[in-house]
Amino acid sequence: MKLPFSGRALTAGAVAVATLATGGSVAGAASAADRSGPAAGTAAVAAAPDLPIANVKAHLSQFQSIATANGGNRAHGRPGYKASLDYVKAKLDAAGFTTRIQQFTASGRTGYNLIADWPGGDANQVVMAGSHLDSVTSGPGINDNGSGSAAVLETALAVARSGFKPAKHLRFAWWGAEELGLVGSRYYVNSLASADRAKIDGYLNFDMIGSPNPGYFVYDDDPVIEKTFKDYFAGLGVATEIETEGDGRSDHAPFKNVGVPVGGLFSGADYRKTSAQAAKWGGTAGQAFDRCYHSSCDTTANINDTALDRNGDAIAHAIWALSQ
């Protein structure tokens, strides 16, 4: 997650409120979600698989090794970022995804987005999930945002392993230069024709989901996406709160600004956990959700396995539920 916007703060007037032209949008599914869940009233709906936490952690170990071998970080324009992208792309290519690399320039350095499409599904109804793959220069960025990147990768691989054939088209993305101001995701959104933007039923963003002193925060943007996540955690007996710390500070913002429905999950950064939150979730009151935020200690030791596991499974659940 990038630092606060300062002078680039999003204003209400900058947020587009355009309605998607496609009749099958996520927002348009509200009536179905108001019943017993996203799959209510449909037959033979596939359930999402449980994401193996060992697989997600194996991706994090790879990101750590890449950072260690490349100056201690995976930042935009540095060799550790490109090596991270190459690792993710190789996994997706081997699994049968159609991948493409989108190149851009920021701060005088070349940046890259990775876009992966799962063949099939209605191309006029796209469900998209993404995360930023870059770290800051001061550390390897394993929670911020190896955690989101690894879980989105493993969800994509689970789609391939299961042979999932959703009604809607699935697209996954790993963004570059988020830490410089959402550069990669904004470049992608701006590169889309308005007709292609209108085909995106929803964009789900995952930026920091394994914080060591975790909270369970849900974006309160699109109500159907929000309900999908809240219902999932309610089924686990895990209370959630509305996400406010990172609002507008991650890669959902460029999508939201052009009217695409967005949602996502977050486990906390440098805000401090309150006593009420510690009573609800465990952990340490008065301590940051992630004491290693944007620091050299954001390593594989900086991950809470329970939070990573729960959030990873929630991602898979949402992808399955919203794409059928």
Side-chain angles (χ1 to χ4, degrees):
M1 177 176 292
K2 74 174 290 295
L3 290 168
F5 271 92
S6 303
R8 294 189 299 274
L10 294 175
T11 64
V15 178
V17 292
T19 302
L20 293 184
T22 54
S25 70
V26 168
S31 59
D34 287 340
R35 299 193 289 271
S36 62
T42 63
V45 173
D50 182 76
L51 285 193
I53 184 65
N55 291 8
V56 180
K57 292 189 72 177
H59 301 317
L60 293 181
S61 293
Q62 288 295 321
F63 294 149
Q64 178 69 67
S65 296
I66 288 168
T68 300
N70 290 280
N73 68 70
R74 302 180 302 102
H76 163 73
R78 309 298 177 92
Y81 178 79
K82 186 58 165 58
S84 298
L85 183 139
D86 290 343
Y87 168 77
V88 174
K89 185 178 187 300
K91 291 286 187 182
L92 295 164
D93 287 342
F97 281 82
T98 300
T99 63
R100 66 185 178 94
I101 293 174
Q102 187 178 51
Q103 186 171 312
F104 58 90
T105 301
S107 297
R109 295 174 181 264
T110 301
Y112 306 95
N113 294 326
L114 174 63
I115 314 298
D117 286 272
W118 182 239
D122 184 352
N124 291 312
Q125 294 182 291
V126 178
V127 175
M128 190 169 184
S131 59
H132 77 86
L133 187 57
D134 62 316
S135 73
V136 292
T137 57
S138 57
I142 299 304
N143 186 38
D144 184 16
N145 183 38
S147 60
S149 293
V152 171
L153 172 59
E154 190 57 30
T155 298
L157 297 178
V159 166
R161 285 194 301 267
S162 67
F164 184 38
K165 298 184 184 301
K168 299 180 181 181
H169 182 76
L170 291 180
R171 180 174 300 150
F172 300 89
W174 290 262
W175 308 117
E178 187 270 356
E179 298 290 3
L180 300 185
L182 321 181
V183 178
S185 55
R186 183 177 292 113
Y187 183 86
Y188 173 80
V189 170
N190 289 344
S191 74
L192 294 175
S194 58
D196 290 326
R197 292 175 182 171
K199 293 175 183 178
I200 303 175
D201 278 7
Y203 171 72
L204 283 59
N205 193 63
F206 306 101
D207 187 353
M208 302 180 66
I209 60 167
S211 303
N213 188 30
Y216 292 89
F217 299 99
V218 177
Y219 295 13
D220 65 337
D221 292 291
D222 179 74
V224 175
I225 299 174
E226 179 185 354
K227 178 174 168 52
T228 300
F229 285 125
K230 284 184 170 180
D231 287 352
Y232 178 80
F233 282 105
L236 297 180
V238 176
T240 59
E241 291 185 9
I242 296 304
E243 196 283 308
T244 58
E245 181 180 2
D247 195 21
R249 289 171 53 188
S250 193
D251 293 299
H252 59 293
F255 289 88
K256 182 177 179 177
N257 289 352
V258 297
V260 174
V262 300
L265 301 174
F266 178 56
S267 57
D270 54 356
Y271 282 20
R272 295 183 181 276
K273 180 176 281 187
T274 66
S275 296
Q277 290 170 331
K280 178 165 48 182
W281 294 321
T284 305
Q287 184 181 106
F289 293 103
D290 184 354
R291 290 185 295 174
C292 290
Y293 176 63
H294 283 188
S295 300
S296 60
C297 59
D298 187 10
T299 66
T300 50
N302 191 45
I303 292 290
N304 181 285
D305 286 2
T306 300
L308 184 68
D309 192 21
R310 287 171 172 171
N311 284 314
D313 288 340
I315 295 170
H317 168 77
I319 290 296
W320 259 253
L322 295 170
S323 65
Q324 299 189 66

